[in-house]
PDB file of all heavy atoms in Angstrom:
ATOM      1  N   LEU M 154       0.829  -1.200   0.000  1.00  0.00           N
ATOM      2  CA  LEU M 154       0.000   0.000   0.000  1.00  0.00           C
ATOM      3  C   LEU M 154       0.867   1.255   0.000  1.00  0.00           C
ATOM      4  O   LEU M 154       2.023   1.234   0.426  1.00  0.00           O
ATOM      5  CB  LEU M 154      -0.918   0.002   1.220  1.00  0.00           C
ATOM      6  CG  LEU M 154      -1.920  -1.143   1.321  1.00  0.00           C
ATOM      7  CD1 LEU M 154      -2.726  -1.015   2.601  1.00  0.00           C
ATOM      8  CD2 LEU M 154      -2.848  -1.171   0.121  1.00  0.00           C
ATOM      9  N   GLU M 155       0.284   2.364  -0.450  1.00  0.00           N
ATOM     10  CA  GLU M 155       1.024   3.627  -0.507  1.00  0.00           C
ATOM     11  C   GLU M 155       1.432   4.116   0.878  1.00  0.00           C
ATOM     12  O   GLU M 155       2.437   4.797   1.029  1.00  0.00           O
ATOM     13  CB  GLU M 155       0.173   4.702  -1.176  1.00  0.00           C
ATOM     14  CG  GLU M 155      -0.048   4.467  -2.652  1.00  0.00           C
ATOM     15  CD  GLU M 155      -0.945   5.530  -3.263  1.00  0.00           C
ATOM     16  OE1 GLU M 155      -1.238   6.530  -2.598  1.00  0.00           O
ATOM     17  OE2 GLU M 155      -1.350   5.341  -4.420  1.00  0.00           O
ATOM     18  N   THR M 156       0.640   3.778   1.906  1.00  0.00           N
ATOM     19  CA  THR M 156       0.935   4.232   3.260  1.00  0.00           C
ATOM     20  C   THR M 156       2.148   3.527   3.856  1.00  0.00           C
ATOM     21  O   THR M 156       2.708   4.001   4.838  1.00  0.00           O
ATOM     22  CB  THR M 156      -0.268   4.017   4.186  1.00  0.00           C
ATOM     23  OG1 THR M 156      -0.625   2.634   4.172  1.00  0.00           O
ATOM     24  CG2 THR M 156      -1.438   4.867   3.746  1.00  0.00           C
ATOM     25  N   SER M 157       2.542   2.429   3.272  1.00  0.00           N
ATOM     26  CA  SER M 157       3.731   1.725   3.732  1.00  0.00           C
ATOM     27  C   SER M 157       4.962   2.496   3.271  1.00  0.00           C
ATOM     28  O   SER M 157       4.985   3.084   2.199  1.00  0.00           O
ATOM     29  CB  SER M 157       3.758   0.314   3.152  1.00  0.00           C
ATOM     30  OG  SER M 157       4.968  -0.331   3.480  1.00  0.00           O
ATOM     31  N   GLY M 158       5.986   2.482   4.049  1.00  0.00           N
ATOM     32  CA  GLY M 158       7.210   3.171   3.677  1.00  0.00           C
ATOM     33  C   GLY M 158       8.129   2.330   2.813  1.00  0.00           C
ATOM     34  O   GLY M 158       9.265   2.704   2.568  1.00  0.00           O
ATOM     35  N   LEU M 159       7.641   1.196   2.338  1.00  0.00           N
ATOM     36  CA  LEU M 159       8.467   0.261   1.578  1.00  0.00           C
ATOM     37  C   LEU M 159       8.084   0.239   0.108  1.00  0.00           C
ATOM     38  O   LEU M 159       6.940   0.518  -0.241  1.00  0.00           O
ATOM     39  CB  LEU M 159       8.299  -1.155   2.131  1.00  0.00           C
ATOM     40  CG  LEU M 159       8.644  -1.401   3.587  1.00  0.00           C
ATOM     41  CD1 LEU M 159       8.220  -2.798   3.996  1.00  0.00           C
ATOM     42  CD2 LEU M 159      10.125  -1.225   3.806  1.00  0.00           C
ATOM     43  N   THR M 160       9.024  -0.134  -0.731  1.00  0.00           N
ATOM     44  CA  THR M 160       8.707  -0.435  -2.124  1.00  0.00           C
ATOM     45  C   THR M 160       8.365  -1.925  -2.211  1.00  0.00           C
ATOM     46  O   THR M 160       8.603  -2.680  -1.259  1.00  0.00           O
ATOM     47  CB  THR M 160       9.901  -0.134  -3.049  1.00  0.00           C
ATOM     48  OG1 THR M 160      10.975  -1.023  -2.702  1.00  0.00           O
ATOM     49  CG2 THR M 160      10.344   1.307  -2.932  1.00  0.00           C
ATOM     50  N   ALA M 161       7.836  -2.336  -3.340  1.00  0.00           N
ATOM     51  CA  ALA M 161       7.496  -3.752  -3.518  1.00  0.00           C
ATOM     52  C   ALA M 161       8.744  -4.623  -3.432  1.00  0.00           C
ATOM     53  O   ALA M 161       8.731  -5.700  -2.845  1.00  0.00           O
ATOM     54  CB  ALA M 161       6.788  -3.962  -4.849  1.00  0.00           C
ATOM     55  N   ARG M 162       9.857  -4.146  -3.982  1.00  0.00           N
ATOM     56  CA  ARG M 162      11.105  -4.909  -3.952  1.00  0.00           C
ATOM     57  C   ARG M 162      11.605  -5.078  -2.521  1.00  0.00           C
ATOM     58  O   ARG M 162      12.031  -6.150  -2.122  1.00  0.00           O
ATOM     59  CB  ARG M 162      12.163  -4.197  -4.813  1.00  0.00           C
ATOM     60  CG  ARG M 162      13.546  -4.767  -4.720  1.00  0.00           C
ATOM     61  CD  ARG M 162      13.734  -6.046  -5.474  1.00  0.00           C
ATOM     62  NE  ARG M 162      13.422  -5.849  -6.877  1.00  0.00           N
ATOM     63  CZ  ARG M 162      13.252  -6.856  -7.722  1.00  0.00           C
ATOM     64  NH1 ARG M 162      13.364  -8.098  -7.318  1.00  0.00           N
ATOM     65  NH2 ARG M 162      12.962  -6.636  -8.975  1.00  0.00           N
ATOM     66  N   GLU M 163      11.567  -3.996  -1.730  1.00  0.00           N
ATOM     67  CA  GLU M 163      12.026  -4.066  -0.341  1.00  0.00           C
ATOM     68  C   GLU M 163      11.152  -5.018   0.477  1.00  0.00           C
ATOM     69  O   GLU M 163      11.673  -5.833   1.251  1.00  0.00           O
ATOM     70  CB  GLU M 163      12.007  -2.676   0.291  1.00  0.00           C
ATOM     71  CG  GLU M 163      13.018  -1.724  -0.278  1.00  0.00           C
ATOM     72  CD  GLU M 163      12.806  -0.286   0.159  1.00  0.00           C
ATOM     73  OE1 GLU M 163      11.712   0.051   0.644  1.00  0.00           O
ATOM     74  OE2 GLU M 163      13.755   0.501   0.008  1.00  0.00           O
ATOM     75  N   ALA M 164       9.842  -4.937   0.307  1.00  0.00           N
ATOM     76  CA  ALA M 164       8.935  -5.815   1.046  1.00  0.00           C
ATOM     77  C   ALA M 164       9.150  -7.272   0.646  1.00  0.00           C
ATOM     78  O   ALA M 164       9.227  -8.157   1.498  1.00  0.00           O
ATOM     79  CB  ALA M 164       7.486  -5.410   0.796  1.00  0.00           C
ATOM     80  N   SER M 165       9.283  -7.507  -0.649  1.00  0.00           N
ATOM     81  CA  SER M 165       9.516  -8.866  -1.136  1.00  0.00           C
ATOM     82  C   SER M 165      10.824  -9.431  -0.588  1.00  0.00           C
ATOM     83  O   SER M 165      10.871 -10.575  -0.135  1.00  0.00           O
ATOM     84  CB  SER M 165       9.545  -8.857  -2.665  1.00  0.00           C
ATOM     85  OG  SER M 165       9.909 -10.108  -3.166  1.00  0.00           O
ATOM     86  N   ASP M 166      11.885  -8.625  -0.614  1.00  0.00           N
ATOM     87  CA  ASP M 166      13.184  -9.084  -0.113  1.00  0.00           C
ATOM     88  C   ASP M 166      13.131  -9.396   1.380  1.00  0.00           C
ATOM     89  O   ASP M 166      13.708 -10.393   1.826  1.00  0.00           O
ATOM     90  CB  ASP M 166      14.259  -8.038  -0.394  1.00  0.00           C
ATOM     91  CG  ASP M 166      14.616  -7.938  -1.873  1.00  0.00           C
ATOM     92  OD1 ASP M 166      14.234  -8.852  -2.640  1.00  0.00           O
ATOM     93  OD2 ASP M 166      15.259  -6.943  -2.249  1.00  0.00           O
ATOM     94  N   GLU M 167      12.449  -8.559   2.156  1.00  0.00           N
ATOM     95  CA  GLU M 167      12.333  -8.803   3.603  1.00  0.00           C
ATOM     96  C   GLU M 167      11.570 -10.084   3.890  1.00  0.00           C
ATOM     97  O   GLU M 167      11.972 -10.888   4.734  1.00  0.00           O
ATOM     98  CB  GLU M 167      11.638  -7.630   4.290  1.00  0.00           C
ATOM     99  CG  GLU M 167      12.514  -6.439   4.529  1.00  0.00           C
ATOM    100  CD  GLU M 167      11.830  -5.385   5.371  1.00  0.00           C
ATOM    101  OE1 GLU M 167      11.164  -5.748   6.368  1.00  0.00           O
ATOM    102  OE2 GLU M 167      11.952  -4.197   5.025  1.00  0.00           O
ATOM    103  N   ILE M 168      10.456 -10.290   3.189  1.00  0.00           N
ATOM    104  CA  ILE M 168       9.638 -11.488   3.403  1.00  0.00           C
ATOM    105  C   ILE M 168      10.412 -12.726   2.986  1.00  0.00           C
ATOM    106  O   ILE M 168      10.432 -13.733   3.697  1.00  0.00           O
ATOM    107  CB  ILE M 168       8.305 -11.378   2.639  1.00  0.00           C
ATOM    108  CG1 ILE M 168       7.450 -10.262   3.240  1.00  0.00           C
ATOM    109  CG2 ILE M 168       7.546 -12.699   2.673  1.00  0.00           C
ATOM    110  CD1 ILE M 168       6.234  -9.887   2.415  1.00  0.00           C
ATOM    111  N   CYS M 169      11.069 -12.667   1.841  1.00  0.00           N
ATOM    112  CA  CYS M 169      11.842 -13.815   1.352  1.00  0.00           C
ATOM    113  C   CYS M 169      12.986 -14.171   2.299  1.00  0.00           C
ATOM    114  O   CYS M 169      13.233 -15.349   2.564  1.00  0.00           O
ATOM    115  CB  CYS M 169      12.391 -13.533  -0.040  1.00  0.00           C
ATOM    116  SG  CYS M 169      11.127 -13.512  -1.318  1.00  0.00           S
ATOM    117  N   ALA M 170      13.674 -13.171   2.821  1.00  0.00           N
ATOM    118  CA  ALA M 170      14.774 -13.424   3.746  1.00  0.00           C
ATOM    119  C   ALA M 170      14.276 -14.049   5.045  1.00  0.00           C
ATOM    120  O   ALA M 170      14.916 -14.943   5.602  1.00  0.00           O
ATOM    121  CB  ALA M 170      15.516 -12.128   4.045  1.00  0.00           C
ATOM    122  N   ALA M 171      13.133 -13.604   5.534  1.00  0.00           N
ATOM    123  CA  ALA M 171      12.598 -14.109   6.795  1.00  0.00           C
ATOM    124  C   ALA M 171      12.033 -15.522   6.663  1.00  0.00           C
ATOM    125  O   ALA M 171      12.092 -16.303   7.613  1.00  0.00           O
ATOM    126  CB  ALA M 171      11.514 -13.171   7.320  1.00  0.00           C
ATOM    127  N   LEU M 172      11.504 -15.864   5.483  1.00  0.00           N
ATOM    128  CA  LEU M 172      10.804 -17.141   5.334  1.00  0.00           C
ATOM    129  C   LEU M 172      11.525 -18.154   4.457  1.00  0.00           C
ATOM    130  O   LEU M 172      11.049 -19.272   4.296  1.00  0.00           O
ATOM    131  CB  LEU M 172       9.400 -16.894   4.748  1.00  0.00           C
ATOM    132  CG  LEU M 172       8.504 -15.957   5.541  1.00  0.00           C
ATOM    133  CD1 LEU M 172       7.166 -15.814   4.835  1.00  0.00           C
ATOM    134  CD2 LEU M 172       8.316 -16.455   6.953  1.00  0.00           C
ATOM    135  N   GLY M 173      12.632 -17.788   3.868  1.00  0.00           N
ATOM    136  CA  GLY M 173      13.344 -18.717   2.986  1.00  0.00           C
ATOM    137  C   GLY M 173      12.628 -18.916   1.664  1.00  0.00           C
ATOM    138  O   GLY M 173      12.728 -19.975   1.055  1.00  0.00           O
ATOM    139  N   ALA M 174      11.910 -17.910   1.216  1.00  0.00           N
ATOM    140  CA  ALA M 174      11.202 -17.978  -0.059  1.00  0.00           C
ATOM    141  C   ALA M 174      12.048 -17.333  -1.149  1.00  0.00           C
ATOM    142  O   ALA M 174      13.121 -16.804  -0.877  1.00  0.00           O
ATOM    143  CB  ALA M 174       9.857 -17.262   0.061  1.00  0.00           C
ATOM    144  N   GLU M 175      11.552 -17.391  -2.383  1.00  0.00           N
ATOM    145  CA  GLU M 175      12.254 -16.761  -3.500  1.00  0.00           C
ATOM    146  C   GLU M 175      11.350 -15.723  -4.142  1.00  0.00           C
ATOM    147  O   GLU M 175      10.160 -15.963  -4.346  1.00  0.00           O
ATOM    148  CB  GLU M 175      12.633 -17.795  -4.549  1.00  0.00           C
ATOM    149  CG  GLU M 175      13.740 -18.707  -4.091  1.00  0.00           C
ATOM    150  CD  GLU M 175      14.401 -19.414  -5.244  1.00  0.00           C
ATOM    151  OE1 GLU M 175      14.691 -18.764  -6.264  1.00  0.00           O
ATOM    152  OE2 GLU M 175      14.609 -20.613  -5.117  1.00  0.00           O
ATOM    153  N   GLY M 176      11.921 -14.583  -4.456  1.00  0.00           N
ATOM    154  CA  GLY M 176      11.182 -13.542  -5.158  1.00  0.00           C
ATOM    155  C   GLY M 176      11.091 -13.890  -6.633  1.00  0.00           C
ATOM    156  O   GLY M 176      12.094 -14.180  -7.268  1.00  0.00           O
ATOM    157  N   ILE M 177       9.879 -13.879  -7.166  1.00  0.00           N
ATOM    158  CA  ILE M 177       9.671 -14.224  -8.571  1.00  0.00           C
ATOM    159  C   ILE M 177       9.586 -12.971  -9.424  1.00  0.00           C
ATOM    160  O   ILE M 177      10.216 -12.879 -10.469  1.00  0.00           O
ATOM    161  CB  ILE M 177       8.386 -15.064  -8.739  1.00  0.00           C
ATOM    162  CG1 ILE M 177       8.470 -16.348  -7.917  1.00  0.00           C
ATOM    163  CG2 ILE M 177       8.105 -15.368 -10.200  1.00  0.00           C
ATOM    164  CD1 ILE M 177       9.569 -17.292  -8.310  1.00  0.00           C
ATOM    165  N   ALA M 178       8.802 -11.987  -8.979  1.00  0.00           N
ATOM    166  CA  ALA M 178       8.632 -10.769  -9.773  1.00  0.00           C
ATOM    167  C   ALA M 178       8.232  -9.604  -8.887  1.00  0.00           C
ATOM    168  O   ALA M 178       7.594  -9.794  -7.857  1.00  0.00           O
ATOM    169  CB  ALA M 178       7.576 -10.988 -10.847  1.00  0.00           C
ATOM    170  N   CYS M 179       8.600  -8.401  -9.309  1.00  0.00           N
ATOM    171  CA  CYS M 179       8.163  -7.153  -8.681  1.00  0.00           C
ATOM    172  C   CYS M 179       7.820  -6.179  -9.793  1.00  0.00           C
ATOM    173  O   CYS M 179       8.688  -5.821 -10.587  1.00  0.00           O
ATOM    174  CB  CYS M 179       9.264  -6.547  -7.822  1.00  0.00           C
ATOM    175  SG  CYS M 179       9.536  -7.418  -6.288  1.00  0.00           S
ATOM    176  N   VAL M 180       6.554  -5.775  -9.853  1.00  0.00           N
ATOM    177  CA  VAL M 180       6.107  -4.823 -10.863  1.00  0.00           C
ATOM    178  C   VAL M 180       5.223  -3.798 -10.179  1.00  0.00           C
ATOM    179  O   VAL M 180       4.184  -4.146  -9.617  1.00  0.00           O
ATOM    180  CB  VAL M 180       5.328  -5.520 -11.995  1.00  0.00           C
ATOM    181  CG1 VAL M 180       4.822  -4.499 -13.000  1.00  0.00           C
ATOM    182  CG2 VAL M 180       6.179  -6.566 -12.675  1.00  0.00           C
ATOM    183  N   GLY M 181       5.635  -2.546 -10.213  1.00  0.00           N
ATOM    184  CA  GLY M 181       4.852  -1.485  -9.587  1.00  0.00           C
ATOM    185  C   GLY M 181       4.755  -1.707  -8.088  1.00  0.00           C
ATOM    186  O   GLY M 181       5.755  -1.786  -7.394  1.00  0.00           O
ATOM    187  N   THR M 182       3.525  -1.836  -7.588  1.00  0.00           N
ATOM    188  CA  THR M 182       3.318  -2.067  -6.161  1.00  0.00           C
ATOM    189  C   THR M 182       3.062  -3.536  -5.849  1.00  0.00           C
ATOM    190  O   THR M 182       2.795  -3.875  -4.699  1.00  0.00           O
ATOM    191  CB  THR M 182       2.118  -1.241  -5.647  1.00  0.00           C
ATOM    192  OG1 THR M 182       0.941  -1.649  -6.360  1.00  0.00           O
ATOM    193  CG2 THR M 182       2.355   0.243  -5.822  1.00  0.00           C
ATOM    194  N   LYS M 183       3.141  -4.399  -6.840  1.00  0.00           N
ATOM    195  CA  LYS M 183       2.851  -5.824  -6.636  1.00  0.00           C
ATOM    196  C   LYS M 183       4.123  -6.656  -6.707  1.00  0.00           C
ATOM    197  O   LYS M 183       5.088  -6.309  -7.390  1.00  0.00           O
ATOM    198  CB  LYS M 183       1.842  -6.301  -7.669  1.00  0.00           C
ATOM    199  CG  LYS M 183       0.513  -5.622  -7.488  1.00  0.00           C
ATOM    200  CD  LYS M 183      -0.509  -6.173  -8.411  1.00  0.00           C
ATOM    201  CE  LYS M 183      -1.817  -5.459  -8.098  1.00  0.00           C
ATOM    202  NZ  LYS M 183      -2.717  -5.424  -9.179  1.00  0.00           N
ATOM    203  N   PHE M 184       4.094  -7.767  -5.982  1.00  0.00           N
ATOM    204  CA  PHE M 184       5.228  -8.691  -5.984  1.00  0.00           C
ATOM    205  C   PHE M 184       4.713 -10.119  -5.903  1.00  0.00           C
ATOM    206  O   PHE M 184       3.585 -10.363  -5.489  1.00  0.00           O
ATOM    207  CB  PHE M 184       6.189  -8.401  -4.827  1.00  0.00           C
ATOM    208  CG  PHE M 184       5.580  -8.535  -3.455  1.00  0.00           C
ATOM    209  CD1 PHE M 184       5.613  -9.739  -2.775  1.00  0.00           C
ATOM    210  CD2 PHE M 184       4.965  -7.449  -2.850  1.00  0.00           C
ATOM    211  CE1 PHE M 184       5.050  -9.862  -1.520  1.00  0.00           C
ATOM    212  CE2 PHE M 184       4.404  -7.558  -1.593  1.00  0.00           C
ATOM    213  CZ  PHE M 184       4.440  -8.767  -0.927  1.00  0.00           C
ATOM    214  N   VAL M 185       5.536 -11.065  -6.333  1.00  0.00           N
ATOM    215  CA  VAL M 185       5.191 -12.489  -6.305  1.00  0.00           C
ATOM    216  C   VAL M 185       6.330 -13.229  -5.627  1.00  0.00           C
ATOM    217  O   VAL M 185       7.498 -13.020  -5.968  1.00  0.00           O
ATOM    218  CB  VAL M 185       4.965 -13.044  -7.726  1.00  0.00           C
ATOM    219  CG1 VAL M 185       4.628 -14.519  -7.675  1.00  0.00           C
ATOM    220  CG2 VAL M 185       3.879 -12.272  -8.446  1.00  0.00           C
ATOM    221  N   ILE M 186       5.979 -14.086  -4.666  1.00  0.00           N
ATOM    222  CA  ILE M 186       6.990 -14.914  -3.987  1.00  0.00           C
ATOM    223  C   ILE M 186       6.591 -16.377  -4.088  1.00  0.00           C
ATOM    224  O   ILE M 186       5.420 -16.711  -4.275  1.00  0.00           O
ATOM    225  CB  ILE M 186       7.184 -14.496  -2.512  1.00  0.00           C
ATOM    226  CG1 ILE M 186       5.871 -14.563  -1.735  1.00  0.00           C
ATOM    227  CG2 ILE M 186       7.799 -13.116  -2.422  1.00  0.00           C
ATOM    228  CD1 ILE M 186       6.017 -14.275  -0.259  1.00  0.00           C
ATOM    229  N   TRP M 187       7.591 -17.258  -3.969  1.00  0.00           N
ATOM    230  CA  TRP M 187       7.363 -18.697  -4.076  1.00  0.00           C
ATOM    231  C   TRP M 187       8.221 -19.426  -3.058  1.00  0.00           C
ATOM    232  O   TRP M 187       9.369 -19.038  -2.793  1.00  0.00           O
ATOM    233  CB  TRP M 187       7.736 -19.177  -5.474  1.00  0.00           C
ATOM    234  CG  TRP M 187       7.629 -20.649  -5.655  1.00  0.00           C
ATOM    235  CD1 TRP M 187       6.510 -21.357  -5.957  1.00  0.00           C
ATOM    236  CD2 TRP M 187       8.679 -21.615  -5.549  1.00  0.00           C
ATOM    237  NE1 TRP M 187       6.805 -22.694  -6.047  1.00  0.00           N
ATOM    238  CE2 TRP M 187       8.125 -22.876  -5.799  1.00  0.00           C
ATOM    239  CE3 TRP M 187      10.029 -21.515  -5.255  1.00  0.00           C
ATOM    240  CZ2 TRP M 187       8.882 -24.039  -5.767  1.00  0.00           C
ATOM    241  CZ3 TRP M 187      10.784 -22.678  -5.224  1.00  0.00           C
ATOM    242  CH2 TRP M 187      10.208 -23.926  -5.489  1.00  0.00           C
ATOM    243  N   ARG M 188       7.645 -20.482  -2.484  1.00  0.00           N
ATOM    244  CA  ARG M 188       8.398 -21.375  -1.602  1.00  0.00           C
ATOM    245  C   ARG M 188       7.804 -22.766  -1.728  1.00  0.00           C
ATOM    246  O   ARG M 188       6.587 -22.930  -1.731  1.00  0.00           O
ATOM    247  CB  ARG M 188       8.328 -20.907  -0.149  1.00  0.00           C
ATOM    248  CG  ARG M 188       9.195 -21.767   0.763  1.00  0.00           C
ATOM    249  CD  ARG M 188       9.192 -21.281   2.173  1.00  0.00           C
ATOM    250  NE  ARG M 188       7.923 -21.642   2.790  1.00  0.00           N
ATOM    251  CZ  ARG M 188       7.601 -21.376   4.035  1.00  0.00           C
ATOM    252  NH1 ARG M 188       8.432 -20.728   4.808  1.00  0.00           N
ATOM    253  NH2 ARG M 188       6.436 -21.736   4.524  1.00  0.00           N
ATOM    254  N   LYS M 189       8.646 -23.761  -1.848  1.00  0.00           N
ATOM    255  CA  LYS M 189       8.189 -25.147  -1.967  1.00  0.00           C
ATOM    256  C   LYS M 189       7.444 -25.556  -0.703  1.00  0.00           C
ATOM    257  O   LYS M 189       7.887 -25.273   0.398  1.00  0.00           O
ATOM    258  CB  LYS M 189       9.378 -26.060  -2.200  1.00  0.00           C
ATOM    259  CG  LYS M 189       9.002 -27.461  -2.563  1.00  0.00           C
ATOM    260  CD  LYS M 189      10.200 -28.166  -3.126  1.00  0.00           C
ATOM    261  CE  LYS M 189       9.852 -29.557  -3.572  1.00  0.00           C
ATOM    262  NZ  LYS M 189       9.015 -29.585  -4.759  1.00  0.00           N
TER     263      LYS M 189
END
């Protein structure tokens, strides 16, 4: 969301690092993550 101080890339990277997931894509304000 716009009220968040993060970009989609920053949020995706933080979530992936915390959960052991992989970032698939970041476009605009949306991101896609994957984990087996």
Side-chain angles (χ1 to χ4, degrees):
L154 298 178
E155 291 178 10
T156 57
S157 174
L159 301 172
T160 65
R162 172 76 58 193
E163 292 169 343
S165 174
D166 289 346
E167 281 188 43
I168 293 169
C169 289
L172 303 180
E175 289 198 45
I177 301 297
C179 286
V180 178
T182 60
K183 295 185 178 155
F184 61 91
V185 179
I186 57 175
W187 176 84
R188 184 177 75 179
K189 190 165 183 70

